């Protein structure tokens, strides 16, 4: 519809331009004739130069004005297009930045259940990846990784952004559902003996985190913690590493103690004592 209207307007503009050029040429020709009569008293035929000046010059002038107008309009449209593309690119980059920030926040929220031993003791169901509710969180997180990989392969277009946004939404819903489910369950799915062991593990963790505890108390608490959790909660490697690092710090074991004569390995000493 708009293209047809533009074509009609262009045709009308050309017709008007031709009529205007013709009128100017006729008026110019008449003016030259009058000047020739007034100056020389001769009303004969004008020279070839006069003919060309009268009929071609106005047409060229009007054509030049028309070309200048079209050029200005084309340049303005091109500049507007560049501005629109820059604005769209900036908006898209900002949208991706907000999406990544939201994703990172949710992943950090989930990672607490893989590194914070206190949360694992209070909400043990979050470490049970066979539970359908918790399993949905893992599947949703895998969906985020797949969407990110596709965005890297195909570029950060609208389709890739929409797919990643959908994946982040799914992960957020799954994580929120799992957290509510874990708080509702608490330790109710465990036996009395298992709850008793987790209570002991919680006390041992408090001793490890207590900066006023002695080295012997920290050492005994670490062994008690690992023993109490055995068979109930499988600590992820990240949680074990953080716990061992904190325990070694409380025990005063330096990171390179393994290179000293008779010194235990800093990464295995607590675990060996727990065994």
């Amino acid at each position: 519809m708009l293209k047809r209207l533009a074509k009609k307007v262009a045709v009308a503009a050309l017709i008007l331009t031709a009529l205007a050029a013709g009128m100017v040429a006729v008026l110019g020709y008449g003016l030259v004739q009058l000047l020739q009569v007034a100056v020389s008293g001769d009303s004969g035929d004008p020279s070839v130069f006069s003919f060309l000046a009268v009929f071609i010059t106005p047409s060229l002038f009007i054509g030049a004005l028309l070309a200048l107008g079209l050029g200005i309009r084309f340049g303005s449209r091109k500049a507007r297009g560049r501005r629109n593309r820059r604005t769209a690119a900036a908006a898209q980059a900002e949208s991706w930045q907000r999406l990544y920030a939201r994703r990172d926040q949710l992943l950090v929220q989930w990672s607490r259940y893989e590194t914070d031993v206190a949360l694992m003791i209070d909400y043990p169901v979050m470490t049970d990846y066979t539970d359908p509710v918790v399993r949905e969180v893992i599947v949703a997180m895998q969906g985020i990784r797949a969407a990110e990989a596709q965005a890297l392969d195909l570029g950060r277009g609208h389709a890739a952004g929409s797919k990643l946004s959908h994946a982040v939404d799914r992960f957020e819903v799954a994580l929120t559902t799992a957290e509510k489910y874990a708080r509702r369950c608490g330790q109710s799915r465990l036996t009395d003996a298992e709850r008793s062991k987790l209570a002991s593990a919680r006390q041992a963790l408090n001793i490890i985190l207590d900066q006023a505890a002695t080295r012997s108390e920290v050492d005994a608490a670490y062994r008690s913690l690992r023993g109490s959790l055995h068979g109930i909660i499988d600590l992820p490697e990240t949680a074990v590493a953080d716990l061992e690092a904190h325990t070694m710090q409380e025990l005063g074991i330096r990171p390179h103690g393994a290179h000293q004569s008779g010194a235990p390995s800093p990464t295995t000493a607590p675990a060996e004592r727990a065994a």
Side-chain angles (χ1 to χ4, degrees):
M1 180 65 181
L2 293 177
K3 290 183 178 180
R4 289 198 298 269
L5 180 61
K7 289 180 179 180
K8 292 180 179 180
V9 171
V11 171
L14 289 176
I15 293 175
L16 291 176
T17 301
L19 290 175
M23 293 295 295
V24 171
V26 171
L27 292 175
Y29 181 76
L31 180 61
V32 170
Q33 287 288 78
L34 290 176
L35 289 175
Q36 184 176 358
V37 171
V39 173
S40 61
D42 184 10
S43 60
D45 295 335
S47 64
V48 175
F49 175 78
S50 300
F51 179 81
L52 293 177
V54 169
F55 285 95
I56 296 179
T57 301
S59 299
L60 292 177
F61 179 73
I62 295 176
L65 290 179
L66 182 61
L68 179 62
L70 292 176
I72 293 174
R73 183 179 179 184
F74 176 77
S76 176
R77 182 181 298 177
K78 191 174 181 179
R80 186 168 58 251
R82 287 195 299 267
R83 288 195 301 269
N84 291 339
R85 286 192 296 270
R86 287 196 298 266
T87 302
Q92 187 177 21
E94 184 179 358
S95 176
W96 277 94
Q97 186 176 4
R98 290 196 304 267
L99 183 59
Y100 280 136
R102 181 164 159 250
R103 175 211 60 183
D104 293 343
Q105 181 182 1
L106 291 171
L107 290 176
V108 169
Q109 183 177 343
W110 163 252
S111 67
R112 294 172 59 224
Y113 296 97
E114 294 183 325
T115 57
D116 193 332
V117 180
L119 285 178
M120 298 179 197
I121 294 175
D122 294 338
Y123 310 109
V125 71
M126 292 296 283
T127 62
D128 184 7
Y129 298 153
T130 62
D131 189 287
V133 177
V134 180
R135 180 63 184 171
E136 176 60 23
V137 180
I138 305 301
V139 173
M141 186 163 51
Q142 293 173 347
I144 290 180
R145 293 171 180 169
E148 289 174 344
Q150 186 175 12
L152 291 176
D153 293 338
L154 303 180
R156 296 180 178 180
H158 177 73
S162 178
K163 186 171 182 178
L164 180 57
S165 178
H166 177 73
V168 173
D169 290 340
R170 180 185 177 186
F171 180 67
E172 182 177 16
V173 171
L175 179 57
T176 302
T177 302
E179 287 182 324
K180 292 180 179 179
Y181 173 70
R183 282 162 174 74
R184 187 169 61 251
C185 292
Q187 298 179 355
S188 61
R189 298 173 58 179
L190 303 178
T191 64
D192 292 339
E194 289 173 335
R195 283 195 291 270
S196 178
K197 288 185 177 181
L198 289 187
S200 300
R202 183 65 163 163
Q203 293 177 356
L205 179 62
N206 292 337
I207 294 175
I208 294 174
L209 299 178
D210 185 5
Q211 296 181 354
T214 64
R215 291 187 178 184
S216 59
E217 289 174 340
V218 171
D219 186 37
Y222 180 85
R223 290 186 283 110
S224 175
L225 174 63
R226 295 301 302 271
S228 299
L229 295 180
H230 182 69
I232 303 176
I233 297 177
D234 293 329
L235 293 178
E237 294 182 359
T238 52
V240 173
D242 290 344
L243 182 61
E244 289 183 352
H246 185 84
T247 303
M248 287 187 293
Q249 181 180 0
E250 294 298 323
L251 292 175
I253 301 176
R254 292 183 297 179
H256 300 288
H259 297 289
Q260 297 177 358
S261 177
S265 172
T267 59
T268 61
E272 290 174 352
R273 288 196 294 270

